[in-house]
């Protein structure tokens, strides 16, 4: 009996050693396999009547430091975020160029200023006028191109988000399948080590896209949660992600988070949903909950960094347009034109609110002598129709000027062949929180065009959508024959104000609504007439000034262009003016008059007030070129920071992964040493079998 037990014991040793050899062989074969962890199979003694009767193999186990594994996964997610940021920011910097580049917007702004300075020295030179127009067209085209490329990148980012979401869903399906296999294998007391390796690899790849947390149930199933605690998968229960990617995006397109009560989904950019999409309240939207990974970087690029660059470009384009148009409308070309046509769409019933006195003079186009002059007070004029009537009936003009709406534009035309010159004087026409001169308001002598109506107003950047603004109202809207007051309290935030505007039935019937627009450094309020009709917004309190409501700012970079008639005929460039003291017979404007030309040149050295916008650009006072330089410098800083962070993040990931591999990976030296031990054990067990067999044979021979 003892001989039989000895033989059986030796056979169990052979079987266990063979199994352990197989484990060692698999370890060596997968020494370079990504995600593979070293496997180990322990053995335990078999007892029979309290006596040793051999050995049995335990289940194959993985060697994994779960805490370090989680740190590696988290750092993998962080490195994914910074890699994407660095990649896109390098592309953005390539688009904008560096501060010293001859192709940068800062260089082109300076170039336009230099062209104006040369023009002011010799305004009668057709070549210098053409040079100004050429530089202006070049700058406008560059701003157009930058804006177009930024929006193209935003669309590409949005589509990449959709692609990643689809890839995550595929991995969730695979994890669900592995969960089922693992629970089944465990029910049969089979090893699940290799299945767990594959599942961990998939979880790590999902973690590259967004930050996740995991826990394992007693039956071996794994649950994967977002960092915000929402379930992605639990066993076989999958909550699929979804995102409706946009084929194209414009400067007005923005993501509105669920926190903006009543406004969710109104920005034209879809959120990232988990489970059944709730597009009404955004309850399923996890966009703002994603704190790391490639998805976090892509969302930030789309909604903050690229949008912030667009915001900065729009600020520059709008300021360039308004600053130069203010001066250009306050003068005239030589000879002055016989007709001025506005660039803004107007209707006779549109509201008007202005102060001050505008001078309209009719000048002989050869001698420059004043033939007629009229000073028209704007106070009390409340519609465009009243403005036209005041011009048409002005005694000083003698009926020689006709103001009318032609093709939707205000047009002033002379009937006696004289030229029209407008002196803006002290006129101030309300445009949200700002004002424009009389001629500039209608765009009668614009240099740049960007926007064709007063149908949209945007606020300055505010810290957040739900931060009380401390403003007083009301907000007063005037359109057609209607006036609507929207109450504003000190405790109201942007969401409250937008909600109140959208809740007003009269505004809704007129097509006027509000939305929130995310900006790199905060949120803006946008109020728009969906039909493109003009309206005025004002406040007896601080609501308009405190919000900084400004017309035609968003999208200005994409729309900026030199006025077509000026582009076709540079001689229409303003150079002189008619003073407020001139009387009939005075010669006020001539070929060498450079008064307005010099003011246009001076606009490039003037210190202008800039609102905070873009990627952390603060409010400050400086020149047009200085602001353009700020955009370039900020992009360079962001790109350098992202590159440094990506290098650091990847280095830290490599260090942690090396530590994990040292503890969980295959060590060839250890495996080869283990092979020697197993070889000796196998040889010894085989020797026992041989000895036992010989003894059995001798015993059999004795019996015979």
């Amino acid at each position: 009996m003892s001989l039989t037990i000895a033989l059986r014991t030796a056979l169990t040793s052979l079987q266990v050693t063979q199994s352990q050899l197989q484990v060692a062989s698999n370890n060596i074969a997968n020494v370079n396999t990504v995600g593979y962890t070293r496997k180990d199979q322990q053995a335990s003694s078999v007892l029979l009547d309290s006596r040793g009767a051999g050995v049995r193999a335990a289940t194959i186990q993985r060697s994994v430091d779960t805490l370090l594994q989680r740190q590696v996964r988290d750092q993998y997610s962080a490195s994914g975020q910074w890699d994407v940021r660095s990649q896109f920011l390098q592309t953005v910097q390539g688009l904008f160029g560096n501060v010293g580049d001859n192709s940068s917007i800062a260089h082109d702004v300076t170039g336009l200023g230099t062209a104006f300075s040369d023009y002011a020295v010799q305004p009668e030179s057709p070549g210098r006028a053409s040079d100004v127009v050429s530089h202006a067209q070049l700058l406008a085209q560059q701003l157009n191109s930058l804006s177009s490329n930024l929006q193209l990148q935003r669309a590409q980012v949005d589509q990449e988000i959709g692609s990643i979401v689809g890839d995550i869903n595929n991995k969730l399906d695979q994890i669900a399948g592995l969960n089922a296999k693992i629970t089944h294998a465990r029910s049969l007391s089979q090893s699940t080590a290799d299945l767990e390796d594959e599942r961990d690899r998939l979880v790590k790849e999902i973690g590259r896209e967004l930050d996740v947390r995991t826990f394992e149930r007693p039956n071996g199933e794994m649950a994967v949660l977002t960092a915000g605690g929402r379930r992605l998968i639990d066993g076989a229960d999958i909550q699929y992600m979804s995102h409706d990617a946009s084929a194209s995006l414009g400067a007005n397109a923005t993501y509105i988070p669920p926190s903006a009560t009543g406004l969710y989904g109104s920005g034209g950019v879809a959120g990232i949903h988990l489970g059944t999409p709730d597009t009404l309240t955004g309850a399923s939207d996890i966009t703002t909950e994603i704190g790391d990974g490639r998805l976090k970087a892509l969302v930030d690029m789309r909604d903050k960094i690229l949008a912030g660059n667009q915001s900065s470009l729009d600020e520059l384009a709008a300021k360039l347009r308004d600053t130069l148009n203010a001066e250009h409308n306050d003068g005239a070309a030589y000879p002055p034109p016989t007709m001025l046509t506005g660039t803004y769409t107007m209707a006779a019933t549109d509201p008007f609110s202005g102060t001050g006195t505008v001078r309209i003079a009719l000048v002989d186009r050869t001698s420059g002598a004043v033939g007629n002059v009229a000073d028209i007070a704007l106070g009390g004029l409340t519609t465009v129709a009243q403005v036209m009537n005041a011009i048409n009936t002005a005694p000083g003009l003698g009926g020689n000027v006709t103001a009318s709406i032609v093709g939707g534009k205000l047009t002033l035309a002379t009937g006696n062949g004289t030229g029209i010159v407008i002196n803006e004087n002290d006129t101030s026409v309300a445009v949200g929180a700002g004002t424009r001169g009389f001629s500039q308001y209608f765009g009668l002598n614009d240099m740049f065009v960007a926007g064709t109506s007063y149908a949209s107003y945007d606020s300055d950047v505010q810290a957040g959508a739900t931060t009380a603004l401390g403003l007083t109202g009301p907000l007063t809207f005037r359109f057609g024959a209607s006036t609507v007051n929207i109450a504003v309290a000190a405790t109201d935030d942007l969401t409250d104000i937008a909600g109140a505007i959208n809740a007003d039935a009269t505004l809704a019937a007129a097509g006027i609504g509000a939305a929130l627009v995310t900006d790199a450094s905060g949120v803006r309020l946008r109020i728009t007439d969906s039909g493109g009709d003009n309206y005025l917004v004002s406040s007896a309190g601080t609501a308009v000034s405190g919000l900084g409501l400004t017309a035609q700012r968003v999208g200005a970079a994409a729309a900026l262009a030199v006025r077509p008639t000026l582009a076709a005929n540079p001689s229409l460039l303003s150079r002189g003016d008619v003073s407020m003291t001139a009387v009939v017979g005075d010669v006020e404007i001539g070929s060498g008059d450079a008064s307005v030309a010099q003011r246009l040149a001076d606009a490039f050295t003037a210190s202008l007030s800039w609102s905070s916008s873009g990627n952390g650009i603060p409010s400050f006072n400086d020149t047009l070129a200085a602001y353009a330089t700020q955009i370039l410098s900020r992009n360079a800083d962001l790109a350098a920071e992202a590159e440094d962070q990506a290098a650091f993040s990847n280095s830290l990931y490599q260090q942690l992964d090396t530590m994990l591999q040292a503890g969980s990976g295959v060590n060839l030296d250890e495996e080869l040493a283990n092979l020697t031990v197993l070889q000796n054990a196998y040889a010894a067990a085989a020797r026992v079998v041989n000895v036992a067999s010989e003894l059995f044979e001798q015993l059999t021979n004795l019996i015979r």
Side-chain angles (χ1 to χ4, degrees), residues 245-266:
S246 301
S248 62
L249 292 175
N252 291 320
T254 184
Y255 167 74
I256 305 297
S259 58
T261 307
L263 299 173
Y264 176 72
S266 61

Side-chain angles (χ1 to χ4, degrees), residues 569-648:
N569 184 8
S571 68
L572 293 176
L573 195 65
S574 287
R575 62 172 87 168
D577 62 5
V578 171
S579 72
M580 290 300 292
T581 59
V583 296
V584 173
D586 287 349
V587 176
E588 284 289 300
I589 188 168
S591 62
D593 190 347
S595 56
V596 173
Q598 186 59 54
R599 295 207 301 267
L600 285 164
D602 291 343
F604 287 85
T605 58
S607 182
L608 307 175
S609 176
W610 301 91
S611 300
S612 61
S613 66
N615 301 307
I617 298 179
S619 57
F620 68 104
N621 295 323
D622 214 325
T623 63
L624 288 162
Y627 186 80
T629 300
Q630 275 279 351
I631 297 175
L632 303 181
S633 298
R634 185 57 181 154
N635 276 327
D637 290 344
L638 288 173
E641 178 191 15
E643 186 176 17
D644 290 344
Q645 287 287 355
F648 171 78

Side-chain angles (χ1 to χ4, degrees), residues 21-102:
L21 278 169
Q22 181 181 356
V23 171
S25 174
N26 197 44
N27 283 341
I28 293 171
N30 286 280
V31 65
N32 294 317
T33 301
V34 176
Y36 182 85
T37 60
R38 179 168 52 84
K39 306 301 184 300
D40 183 47
Q41 187 175 40
Q42 298 296 323
S44 60
S45 178
V46 175
L47 298 178
L48 182 62
D49 292 334
S50 301
R51 296 178 62 185
V55 65
R56 70 164 59 92
T59 303
I60 299 172
Q61 300 292 329
R62 303 190 304 160
S63 177
V64 178
D65 183 336
T66 55
L67 177 60
L68 184 56
Q69 184 184 51
R70 175 175 171 176
Q71 290 178 317
V72 169
R73 188 175 64 224
D74 288 347
Q75 191 56 40
Y76 194 49
S77 183
S79 67
Q81 177 185 176
W82 285 109
D83 281 346
V84 170
R85 282 179 178 270
S86 180
Q87 171 193 341
F88 275 96
L89 284 168
Q90 292 295 335
T91 302
V92 170
Q93 188 181 11
L95 285 175
F96 280 81
N98 296 310
V99 173
D101 291 349
N102 290 337

Side-chain angles (χ1 to χ4, degrees), residues 199-216:
R199 186 174 64 182
D200 284 349
R201 185 190 67 79
L202 291 169
V203 170
K204 182 181 177 183
E205 290 304 316
I206 290 177
R208 179 75 166 173
E209 314 301 352
L210 77 162
D211 41 346
V212 295
R213 298 291 178 264
T214 64
F215 69 88
E216 187 174 320

Side-chain angles (χ1 to χ4, degrees), residues 112 116 132-145 147 313-314 316-322 324-325 328-329 343-344 443 445-452 552-553 555-568 573:
L112 179 57
F116 265 119
V132 168
V133 172
S134 294
H135 276 84
Q137 288 177 309
L138 177 64
L139 179 55
Q141 290 165 2
Q142 187 178 31
L143 288 167
N144 298 161
S145 177
S147 179
L313 283 182
D314 287 343
L316 175 62
K319 188 74 73 173
L320 176 73
R321 173 199 65 198
D322 294 344
L324 295 186
N325 282 351
H328 203 268
N329 275 280
T343 57
Y344 292 100
N445 192 22
D446 279 347
M447 177 178 179
F448 283 110
V449 293
T452 59
Q552 305 146 347
R553 176 164 49 191
L560 190 71
V562 175
R563 194 177 87 241
T565 53
L566 177 59
L573 195 65

Side-chain angles (χ1 to χ4, degrees), residues 109-415:
V109 168
T110 300
L112 179 57
T114 301
F116 265 119
S117 295
D118 293 341
Y119 175 63
V121 172
Q122 197 175 0
E124 69 278 10
S125 168
R128 295 198 174 184
S130 294
D131 193 41
V132 168
V133 172
S134 294
H135 276 84
Q137 288 177 309
L138 177 64
L139 179 55
Q141 290 165 2
Q142 187 178 31
L143 288 167
N144 298 161
S145 177
L146 286 172
S147 179
S148 176
N149 278 300
L150 285 175
Q151 297 312 315
L152 178 61
Q153 282 203 30
R154 288 185 71 211
Q156 291 174 343
V157 166
D158 200 47
Q159 291 163 23
E160 179 66 14
I161 290 173
S163 177
I164 288 177
V165 164
D167 187 55
I168 290 174
N169 288 336
N170 289 334
K171 288 182 170 61
L172 291 176
D173 281 330
Q174 295 178 60
I175 291 174
L178 289 168
N179 274 341
K181 291 179 180 179
I182 289 170
T183 55
H184 179 68
R186 286 197 180 183
S187 69
L188 300 176
S189 298
Q190 296 175 350
S191 173
T192 60
D194 288 326
L195 294 174
E196 292 177 61
D197 278 353
E198 178 62 14
R199 186 174 64 182
D200 284 349
R201 185 190 67 79
L202 291 169
V203 170
K204 182 181 177 183
E205 290 304 316
I206 290 177
R208 179 75 166 173
E209 314 301 352
L210 77 162
D211 41 346
V212 295
R213 298 291 178 264
T214 64
F215 69 88
E216 187 174 320
R217 298 192 181 279
N219 65 352
E221 288 183 337
M222 176 178 282
V224 182
L225 312 175
T226 67
R230 302 214 198 193
R231 186 176 72 253
L232 284 167
I233 183 172
D234 189 358
D237 181 16
I238 302 175
Q239 296 294 311
Y240 290 107
M241 297 175 65
S242 61
H243 174 66
D244 186 10
S246 301
S248 62
L249 292 175
N252 291 320
T254 184
Y255 167 74
I256 305 297
S259 58
T261 307
L263 299 173
Y264 176 72
S266 61
V269 177
I272 301 171
H273 294 271
L274 189 59
T276 303
D278 179 356
T279 56
L280 183 62
T281 67
S284 60
D285 193 329
I286 64 169
T287 307
T288 57
E289 299 174 18
I290 298 172
D292 219 335
R294 297 176 69 235
L295 277 180
K296 169 64 175 174
L298 290 170
V299 168
D300 283 351
M301 288 301 304
R302 182 194 66 190
D303 298 339
K304 293 183 178 181
I305 297 174
L306 293 176
N309 271 300
Q310 182 66 61
S311 175
S312 298
L313 283 182
D314 287 343
E315 183 78 12
L316 175 62
K319 188 74 73 173
L320 176 73
R321 173 199 65 198
D322 294 344
T323 301
L324 295 186
N325 282 351
E327 300 298 344
H328 203 268
N329 275 280
D330 198 26
Y334 182 82
T338 60
M339 181 171 65
L340 297 176
T341 300
T343 57
Y344 292 100
T345 300
M346 292 285 165
T349 55
D350 282 345
F352 181 85
S353 177
T355 61
T357 301
V358 62
R359 165 161 287 200
I360 299 177
L362 304 186
V363 177
D364 186 280
R365 301 184 73 238
T366 301
S367 67
V370 176
N372 297 91
V373 64
D375 296 332
I376 301 171
L378 303 184
L381 304 179
T382 60
T383 65
V384 172
Q386 291 180 6
V387 171
M388 292 190 294
N389 183 64
I391 295 172
N392 291 334
T393 59
L397 297 178
N400 291 316
V401 174
T402 300
S404 60
I405 302 294
V406 178
K409 316 290 185 181
L410 176 64
T411 300
L412 306 185
T414 63

